[in-house]
Amino acid sequence: MLSKPRQRFQAWWSLRHPPSDTHLMVQRNIYILPSRPGLFFCATLLVLLLASINEQLSLGYLLTFLLTGAGFVSMHVTHANLRGLSLDLRAPAPVFAGEEAGLQIRLHNPAAARYGIGLRAAEQRAEQRAWTDVPAQGHSQLQLRLAMPRRGLHALPTLRIETRFPFGLFGAWSVWRPACQVWVYPAPEQPCPPLPAGSGAADPQRAVQLAPLPGQDLDEVRGYRRGDSPRQILWKKAAQAGDGDAQLWVRDTRSPRGHELWLELGQTQGLAWEARLSRLCAWVLRADAQALPYGLRLGGQSLGPDAGPAHRQACLELLARAQERA
């Protein structure tokens, strides 16, 4: 019986707050209610009013109406402290499971200075709120830390922007649903175990064809390509070339095809599922740190031997979204 009203409310709520990486606070998405001190303030005004009526005190009436007017002004200022403020979010960098993702949020103020702007994730406690002031016609920046205990590609939680400026009698807030997502890779095994021995080429005849000729160095020098590690760049050669030669050269450290490094799920047998992914993650990081070409086989998917930041990211994302098969 209650499912349909709840679904309708969720649909209405989602339409009212569509996911976006920018957020402009206007009249329709700012909410305001009396805070706990504000409720005590209202109760005090009621007692003052009743006492003034009972005792026929003119000064009591004056004090009651002055405090009531101050309360209404406070409500207006609290609401205006958020209205017109805009925020944008930079996509968070990937993290490993168990670490915290850092959200960098910029606040833009086209009007007078704003004070006491708080921001937190909706599921976080009030004590974890980050505060800032925004200068007049200026910008400010907030950093929010979010715990990421599980691997995968996660949507960012709903954010809540709050203020109680100036007297704390009213609390105004707005809700923001960011659109960007954050990658959470498996936590690498510590300490990292030694890399597995080369698994060998899948086709021995091809391995013979691709084997280096006598006297040929296994390493090759080629032009720089996007994604190459800075450790592969021949900086000494670049310095000798001087400013006239903008070309950078890198050492292609391909290992012999007969000893290609393949990281496979079968090399981690005997471990729990998450521990197997953690070991593969640690191997990927070690191979990348040593600038070794490596491939990854996981279930029915595989990434051929390669090196560089782009290949490392592809391998880590494959591990992050791996699903255990029964």
Side-chain angles (χ1 to χ4, degrees):
M1 293 293 292
L2 295 177
S3 61
K4 285 189 175 179
R6 185 175 300 171
Q7 291 174 358
R8 289 177 181 173
F9 176 78
Q10 290 293 343
W12 171 81
W13 182 260
S14 299
L15 288 175
R16 189 173 178 83
H17 303 282
S20 173
D21 286 336
T22 61
H23 183 65
L24 174 63
M25 287 182 279
V26 293
Q27 188 81 18
R28 64 183 297 273
N29 58 13
I30 297 177
Y31 312 94
I32 186 168
L33 282 175
S35 63
R36 183 175 298 179
L39 293 176
F40 281 110
F41 179 74
C42 293
T44 303
L45 291 180
L46 181 60
V47 171
L48 282 175
L49 180 61
L50 293 177
S52 301
I53 293 174
N54 189 47
E55 302 295 336
Q56 292 297 312
L57 296 174
S58 300
L59 289 179
Y61 285 121
L62 178 62
L63 178 62
T64 302
F65 295 143
L66 281 177
L67 291 177
T68 302
F72 279 115
V73 171
S74 170
M75 180 178 64
H76 174 75
V77 172
T78 301
H79 189 273
N81 200 40
L82 290 184
R83 191 174 62 246
L85 203 61
S86 63
L87 301 90
D88 63 61
L89 170 67
R90 181 180 298 176
V95 296
F96 295 98
E99 295 181 346
E100 291 185 336
L103 302 187
Q104 291 189 355
I105 300 160
R106 292 182 301 176
L107 299 89
H108 310 280
N109 179 19
R114 316 297 178 99
Y115 301 98
I117 306 297
L119 183 71
R120 65 181 173 91
E123 67 268 17
Q124 286 182 322
R125 300 190 304 274
E127 296 78 17
Q128 296 177 282
R129 187 189 297 121
W131 293 98
T132 189
D133 297 332
V134 190
Q137 299 182 348
H139 311 276
S140 184
Q141 186 164 317
L142 270 178
Q143 188 169 28
L144 204 61
R145 310 294 300 179
L146 299 176
M148 292 293 169
R150 298 188 306 277
R151 63 179 174 83
L153 180 61
H154 297 281
L156 294 179
T158 300
L159 302 180
R160 180 182 169 109
I161 306 103
E162 304 169 316
T163 185
R164 289 190 175 186
F165 180 81
F167 300 136
L169 300 179
F170 292 88
W173 74 95
S174 184
V175 175
W176 180 17
R177 296 174 59 207
C180 64
Q181 299 172 306
V182 57
W183 278 104
V184 182
Y185 303 144
E189 182 178 344
Q190 296 291 343
C192 177
L195 289 171
S199 59
D203 184 354
Q205 184 177 3
R206 176 175 171 77
V208 172
Q209 292 173 352
L210 294 176
L213 297 175
Q216 180 182 357
D217 195 348
L218 294 180
D219 294 344
E220 297 179 357
V221 176
R222 57 171 174 78
Y224 174 80
R225 292 199 298 256
R226 185 176 182 181
D228 287 333
S229 170
R231 289 187 293 271
Q232 295 176 262
I233 298 177
L234 300 174
W235 294 107
K236 186 175 180 181
K237 185 178 180 64
Q240 291 174 348
D243 297 336
D245 187 3
Q247 174 69 47
L248 291 177
W249 298 93
V250 301
R251 183 180 297 279
D252 191 352
T253 56
R254 292 182 301 172
S255 60
R257 294 291 183 180
H259 298 83
E260 286 177 342
L261 176 61
W262 278 96
L263 308 177
E264 305 178 40
L265 198 60
Q267 297 162 338
T268 62
Q269 290 182 352
L271 299 175
W273 174 250
E274 292 298 330
R276 301 174 77 178
L277 297 179
S278 294
R279 176 161 296 184
L280 288 173
C281 179
W283 282 343
V284 166
L285 297 179
R286 168 164 286 192
D288 179 74
Q290 298 178 0
L292 295 174
Y294 59 94
L296 176 64
R297 292 196 183 104
L298 188 64
Q301 297 178 290
S302 67
L303 296 171
D306 203 344
H311 183 62
R312 171 182 178 270
Q313 180 179 353
C315 291
L316 293 177
E317 290 180 359
L318 181 61
L319 291 173
R321 61 174 182 266
Q323 299 292 329
E324 185 177 10
R325 295 183 178 179

